[in-house]
Amino acid sequence: MRGIGLGLALVSALAFGGSGVAAKPLIEAGLDPLHVVWLRVAGAALVMLPVAWRHRALVRRRPALLAGFGLLAVAGVQACYFAAISRIPVGVALLVEYLAPALVLGWVRFVQRKPVTRAAALGVVLAVGGLACVVEVWAGLSFDALGLLLALGAACCQVGYFVLSDQGSDAGDQAPDPLGVIAYGLLIGAVVLTVIARPWGMDWSLLAGHATMNGATVPAWLLLCWIVLLATVVAYVTGVLSVRRLSPQVAGVVACLEAVIATVLAWIMLGEHLSAPQLLGGAVVLAGAFIAQSSKPQAPDAPQVVEPETALSRSGGAV
């Protein structure tokens, strides 16, 4: 079960990590970033519409869960991140967003009052430190207060993704179907992003044209299909399923691989070369993810007095 969960988390990180590679040529071709986000979520919502109809009973049984997933895990992460990068460097925004695993660890330990392992805590520290190198946070650091708050908002929304994805994992047959949760989350997210992105002002003719990817000409519709099917539908489905099989804090650290994958894919497919610090940072993130996923959740002891070792015993998912 744990091996399957780890595999799903890696597939999710790979799928999410490829979103930027496909989206950047569309943005450079003239599409507004928010319009790309809206196309991504709305397209995925249409794909998952039959699933939403099949699980329509969830609307009555778990309305709060569906609303939270749509607002936080779908619309919140996307809107906050793209708003943040309009004010601060992309690398800084990405690093702040991926503080989510550390925030998840705090949520699990201090809000849910569950013990966390030393390995999970060490994995978070290594993953965040490695991400600082991957995104080269020291290059062009800006202290725009609103931009940093928006990036932190994206991190908090990502915490909601992992925490809400874990809801019902211990409920057996009564657990809400993860596919239904994702389907309605995408539908709600699409509605919210419609208000924010205002797609009626988009130049739809750009989707019938071509975009340039590292010197090669690619149909815009093909990149859009990549974003909708792989970077959204597959990414969310495998991500939520991985959280159900791993602990939220472990899944959150493995999700940090998204930044490494995004950087490597940009190197291969967009010609954006990696520097030595980025290569080193990627290795550190891999080490952190491996250490975190090798940990096993501890069950709290029966006595009220908790030993220090017990007290110190992907995010609690996106993205």
Side-chain angles (χ1 to χ4, degrees):
M1 181 69 72
R2 188 177 182 82
I4 295 175
L6 179 59
L8 289 170
L10 291 174
V11 171
S12 179
L14 179 62
F16 273 127
S19 62
V21 175
K24 186 171 182 178
L26 291 176
I27 294 172
E28 291 178 341
L31 280 176
D32 184 271
L34 277 178
H35 289 159
V36 175
V37 174
W38 179 82
L39 287 168
R40 172 185 184 178
V41 175
L46 286 176
V47 172
M48 297 292 286
L49 195 57
V51 178
W53 175 254
R54 180 181 179 183
H55 297 284
R56 57 191 179 277
L58 281 176
V59 177
R60 183 182 68 257
R61 290 173 45 213
R62 304 298 295 270
L65 174 61
L66 300 182
F69 196 87
L71 292 173
L72 297 176
V74 178
V77 172
Q78 304 292 338
C80 286
Y81 175 72
F82 277 93
I85 63 176
S86 69
R87 306 183 67 92
I88 61 176
V90 173
V92 178
L94 189 60
L95 177 61
V96 174
E97 180 183 348
Y98 275 91
L99 290 175
L103 297 176
V104 166
L105 207 63
W107 172 274
V108 172
R109 182 66 185 90
F110 299 109
V111 178
Q112 296 183 333
R113 297 187 179 278
K114 295 180 180 179
V116 295
T117 63
R118 291 178 183 269
L122 177 60
V124 167
V125 172
L126 288 175
V128 172
L131 279 170
C133 296
V134 171
V135 303
E136 294 186 326
V137 67
W138 55 83
L141 184 63
S142 172
F143 288 101
D144 183 284
L146 180 56
L148 291 175
L149 284 175
L150 288 167
L152 184 59
C156 293
C157 289
Q158 194 177 65
V159 171
Y161 163 72
F162 289 108
V163 172
L164 292 171
S165 297
D166 193 46
Q167 292 297 307
S169 59
D170 299 325
D173 294 336
Q174 301 300 316
D177 189 283
L179 294 181
V181 174
I182 295 168
Y184 278 102
L186 288 169
L187 284 171
I188 294 170
V191 172
V192 174
L193 288 171
T194 298
V195 177
I196 297 174
R198 294 179 291 183
W200 47 84
M202 180 173 58
D203 185 359
W204 292 88
S205 64
L206 292 173
L207 298 177
H210 293 77
T212 302
M213 178 180 285
N214 197 21
T217 300
V218 183
W221 65 266
L222 184 61
L223 294 174
L224 181 60
C225 289
W226 176 353
I227 295 172
V228 170
L229 298 178
L230 293 180
T232 308
V233 175
V234 172
Y236 272 104
V237 169
T238 54
V240 170
L241 292 177
S242 73
V243 176
R244 292 289 181 92
R245 288 165 173 78
L246 302 170
S247 64
Q249 60 267 32
V250 172
V253 175
V254 177
C256 287
L257 292 175
E258 177 188 335
V260 180
I261 292 168
T263 305
V264 172
L265 288 177
W267 182 15
I268 296 173
M269 304 186 72
L270 299 179
E272 298 180 353
H273 299 289
L274 294 173
S275 65
Q278 286 178 310
L279 291 172
L280 177 61
V284 173
V285 172
L286 288 171
F290 176 79
I291 291 173
Q293 68 83 24
S294 65
S295 66
K296 294 182 179 180
Q298 288 184 334
D301 294 332
Q304 295 298 318
V305 178
V306 182
E307 295 296 329
E309 292 81 5
T310 303
L312 294 175
S313 76
R314 179 126 190 358
S315 309
V319 168

